[in-house]
Amino acid sequence: MGGSLVKRLRKRDHWFAEWWSSMLLISVGIYGFCSPDHFVIQQSFIDGFVKVIPIYLWESLFIIVGLFQCCALNCESLLGRGLAAFFASSFLIWGTLNIAVYGQWHFSLLAWGVFSAINLYALSRILRGLEKNYESL
């Protein structure tokens, strides 16, 4: 019984990492709506690259992509997971670069960088077909 639980958790390890990524995106978007004047939000959304699109649109995009990633994970759609990982990694890389270039060092820089790497890894697994082979075991 203990061995099957470990095997199941190991099989779903990437799923959990992507789920946490979706929660980060949703949380950042909601936090931006609730506290738009906080300096982390200022560095993440307003300073730098965001001058092209208004802050509320960026926050909405983060929430939408986070919800899309969560739905794709629950539907266990590889195409959905691939698209969600692409968009999530794009937004998280953008946020990491935005803070690194225009802001000052903050813990969110590390979190965004780690979760962008998780999504890039998930995307590479899906594109190479490893995820499909791994889930069929």
Side-chain angles (χ1 to χ4, degrees):
M1 181 168 166
S4 65
L5 177 62
V6 170
K7 189 175 182 180
R8 218 172 356 163
L9 287 175
R10 210 176 278 158
K11 182 178 176 183
R12 302 288 278 179
D13 184 39
H14 302 292
W15 189 94
F16 288 119
E18 292 173 60
W19 184 84
W20 279 110
S21 174
S22 71
M23 292 300 112
L24 174 73
L25 288 166
I26 293 168
S27 300
V28 167
I30 290 172
Y31 185 71
F33 277 121
C34 295
S35 183
D37 296 330
H38 193 270
F39 82 96
V40 174
I41 296 300
Q42 295 288 329
Q43 289 177 355
S44 303
F45 291 115
I46 296 174
D47 295 341
F49 307 133
V50 81
K51 295 175 183 172
V52 179
I53 299 175
I55 186 171
Y56 294 113
L57 185 55
W58 282 117
E59 294 163 346
S60 300
L61 286 172
F62 268 62
I63 292 170
I64 290 167
V65 168
L67 289 172
F68 176 63
Q69 189 169 32
C70 196
C71 290
L73 286 168
N74 288 328
C75 294
E76 296 187 12
S77 162
L78 286 181
L79 176 62
R81 284 179 69 184
L83 286 173
F86 171 76
F87 286 119
S89 64
S90 299
F91 284 132
L92 292 167
I93 289 170
W94 164 80
T96 304
L97 290 174
N98 198 41
I99 295 169
V101 172
Y102 295 102
Q104 60 188 18
W105 192 92
H106 193 269
F107 74 90
S108 62
L109 181 66
L110 180 65
W112 288 40
V114 166
F115 282 107
S116 65
I118 286 170
N119 280 295
L120 287 173
Y121 182 66
L123 184 59
S124 73
R125 286 178 56 85
I126 291 167
L127 290 176
R128 290 184 306 177
L130 293 176
E131 197 69 25
K132 185 177 181 179
N133 294 337
Y134 186 69
E135 287 188 359
S136 65
L137 294 177

